[in-house]
């Protein structure tokens, strides 16, 4: 089987790039505040950094969608300055 060479995040079919508004403190710590999924903008009510690797920060978050609280996972790609979430 031939190898597939990835040229960045847009080649990753298991990830969806999303727009996030986030906050940084004086120490450079980041926290997501809002996420746009498709045309819908959702406020993030609870978020905490669940783990980190060399160039990835993983967050577990809760958003309010209509009248339901939904868990989502967000990942910040430090080298690319982009946010992603897993494709369901």
């Amino acid at each position: 089987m031939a190898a597939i060479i990835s040229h960045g995040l847009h080649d990753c079919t298991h990830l969806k790039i999303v727009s996030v508004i986030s906050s940084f403190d004086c120490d450079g710590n980041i926290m997501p505040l809002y996420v746009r999924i498709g045309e819908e903008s959702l406020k993030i009510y609870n978020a905490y950094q669940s783990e980190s690797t060399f160039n990835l920060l993983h967050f577990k978050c809760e958003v309010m969608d209509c009248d339901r609280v939904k868990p989502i996972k967000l990942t910040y790609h430090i080298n690319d300055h982009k946010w992603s979430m897993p494709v369901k």
Side-chain angles (χ1 to χ4, degrees):
M1 184 161 99
I4 298 173
I5 298 173
S6 175
H7 296 286
L9 285 174
H10 295 284
D11 291 341
C12 298
T13 58
H14 65 286
L15 296 176
K16 178 179 182 173
I17 304 300
V18 292
S19 297
V20 173
I21 295 175
S22 56
S23 172
F24 292 84
D25 65 14
C26 294
D27 296 323
N29 298 312
I30 186 171
M31 191 59 64
L33 303 175
Y34 292 88
V35 61
R36 180 177 294 276
I37 302 172
E39 295 297 318
E40 191 171 6
S41 183
L42 301 170
K43 180 174 177 29
I44 297 171
Y45 287 95
N46 293 318
Y48 67 92
Q49 189 173 333
S50 59
E51 59 183 282
S52 64
T53 60
F54 177 69
N55 60 353
L56 300 173
L57 301 175
H58 301 279
F59 293 87
K60 290 187 178 179
C61 308
E62 289 181 345
V63 297
M64 185 68 82
D65 187 11
C66 295
D67 59 349
R68 294 183 178 189
V69 175
K70 293 184 176 179
I72 63 169
K73 294 179 182 178
L74 294 173
T75 301
Y76 182 65
H77 302 261
I78 296 169
N79 294 340
D80 297 308
H81 305 287
K82 294 188 181 190
W83 289 88
S84 70
M85 62 185 301
V87 174
K88 292 184 180 184

